[in-house]
Amino acid sequence: MTAGFSGFENDWQALAERSRNVFGTREWAETWWRHFGNDGELRTTLVPAVAVLPLYVEGVGPFRLLRFLGQGHADEVGPVCAPEDRDEAASAMRDVFAEGGYHLFLGDNLPPGWAEPLGARIVERTSSPVVSLTEPTWDDFLAKRSSNFRQQLRTSERRLARDRGLTFRLADGSTLTQDLDVLFALHKARWPGSPWFASAEPFHRDFAALALERGWLRLWILELDGRPAAAWLGYRFAGVESYYQAGRDPALQRERVGLVVLAHSIREALADGIDEYRLLRGDESFKYRFATSDPGLETLARPTGALGRAALALRTLRRRRSS
């Protein structure tokens, strides 16, 4: 095993592609660490040809928490490995546990199936709907949805095209800065009381620039009469497209611009041969109008000793008070 960030770039890239998770890339981990690592202790480890374990130890009051890089902003974390290598990755994780130096392992938003091999408890489950893109055309895809939904979507898009000069534009190197400005402005306008995305704006701008260089960024701007009305941010990686965040003009709720730009992003993914579209964390009803399954995510905990149990109890109490 080797630890740190340097020295295994090629291995990390290959393993991230096998995991098909953009949040498992070295680019995501390093950018997140630069912005949010603070005084944390990096524990990132490579098991050659098997897995990257992107871990760090975070100090929270008297507690030391072992966590995955990206938590809080990544929609799916965990060991970076192919599904068939999970047993070996779990064995390497248990070796990390045995090294000690922490009070509580807290794994936020892992795919199902890690709890038992890691000897951890499931303390929270989160929805994470997925769209399987197996149909040959967009019309075939819509044919599997309800007639009411098909009518709503088609009518909304046709009306906007006829009456408001609807256009879709994909951000590129010449427009990225201004298009991110549009995204953050529309997000704040629509969800002024939801600060978690806006508060991490420098991080998201840095990662978006890297993702654009790598060919992963998908930032759609929906314009009406030449003016931005909605924005959709996602990432395309290893044959998977992930819907990360969006924004829209709140005055245009009746025009369904948010639904229209989301549908456009799925239509384009299908046309480009993407086979899986992840709607990511959250059980918002609009997601299930498209989703074909919901494997969900699990938050795991494994305390060590009295301090670890106290840290877990405190987290549970805070979560209950905030819900």
Side-chain angles (χ1 to χ4, degrees):
M1 294 186 184
T2 56
F5 278 130
S6 62
F8 49 89
E9 292 86 348
N10 292 336
D11 297 82
W12 196 327
Q13 175 69 17
L15 290 167
E17 290 177 359
R18 292 171 68 189
S19 76
R20 306 186 77 194
N21 179 17
V22 69
F23 305 116
T25 60
R26 183 173 184 262
E27 288 84 349
W28 178 272
E30 285 194 316
T31 306
W32 186 92
W33 181 250
R34 188 169 69 252
H35 284 269
F36 305 113
N38 299 324
D39 297 323
E41 176 188 330
L42 198 62
R43 293 278 188 96
T44 296
T45 300
L46 170 70
V47 186
V50 174
V52 174
L53 310 179
L55 295 162
Y56 77 108
V57 174
E58 174 188 28
V60 181
F63 308 117
R64 288 171 57 81
L65 309 184
L66 181 66
R67 312 187 76 173
F68 286 104
L69 296 168
Q71 60 83 23
H73 298 280
D75 280 65
E76 179 182 313
V77 300
V80 182
C81 66
E84 60 268 25
D85 292 329
R86 279 191 174 192
D87 288 346
E88 288 184 77
S91 176
M93 282 287 295
R94 292 193 298 270
D95 290 342
V96 173
F97 293 158
E99 293 172 4
Y102 69 96
H103 302 118
L104 173 67
F105 163 66
L106 187 60
D108 304 85
N109 300 312
L110 275 72
W114 285 102
E116 184 174 350
L118 294 183
R121 290 172 46 194
I122 300 171
V123 296
E124 190 174 311
R125 288 184 171 88
T126 305
S127 296
S128 187
V130 171
V131 186
S132 179
L133 298 176
T134 57
E135 297 79 6
T137 69
W138 179 243
D139 285 340
D140 293 320
F141 176 85
L142 287 182
K144 295 185 178 180
R145 273 71 206 164
S146 71
S147 59
N148 179 60
F149 177 61
R150 289 197 302 272
Q151 182 179 2
Q152 280 186 5
L153 184 57
R154 285 170 170 160
T155 299
S156 297
E157 187 164 355
R158 287 169 182 165
R159 183 180 294 120
L160 290 172
R162 183 190 67 217
D163 301 336
R164 302 292 301 275
L166 169 68
T167 58
F168 300 99
R169 181 170 54 76
L170 193 61
D172 60 24
S174 66
T175 67
L176 180 60
T177 298
Q178 68 188 51
D179 288 343
L180 286 170
D181 291 344
V182 168
L183 169 68
F184 282 102
L186 290 173
H187 180 81
K188 292 173 186 176
R190 173 60 184 87
W191 293 284
S194 178
W196 74 269
F197 178 62
S199 65
E201 183 172 337
F203 162 71
H204 290 298
R205 286 183 179 273
D206 282 357
F207 184 73
L210 267 177
L212 181 66
E213 291 178 9
R214 304 295 191 271
W216 306 338
L217 182 72
R218 306 291 286 178
L219 175 53
W220 286 106
I221 305 298
L222 180 157
E223 296 181 338
L224 300 179
D225 299 325
R227 299 182 62 182
W232 177 98
L233 171 65
Y235 298 103
R236 183 178 289 185
F237 179 76
V240 174
E241 186 139 331
S242 299
Y243 161 37
Y244 189 76
Q245 195 49 266
R248 64 173 173 82
D249 185 339
L252 297 171
Q253 181 174 352
R254 295 183 63 182
E255 285 81 356
R256 297 191 173 98
V257 291
L259 178 67
V260 170
V261 73
L262 172 59
H264 178 76
S265 71
I266 298 174
R267 179 172 59 215
E268 290 295 305
L270 176 63
D272 290 344
I274 300 300
D275 61 22
E276 185 174 315
Y277 184 106
R278 298 178 184 173
L279 290 152
L280 301 184
R281 281 185 296 167
D283 60 358
E284 296 88 347
S285 60
F286 73 86
K287 294 182 178 181
Y288 294 98
R289 307 186 81 176
F290 295 98
T292 54
S293 64
D294 185 357
L297 298 166
E298 297 174 343
T299 293
L300 309 181
R302 176 176 165 144
T304 61
L307 275 176
R309 291 189 293 272
L312 179 57
L314 182 60
R315 177 193 182 274
T316 301
L317 179 61
R318 287 175 174 170
R319 300 288 287 185
R320 286 175 180 170
R321 286 177 174 173
S322 64
S323 63

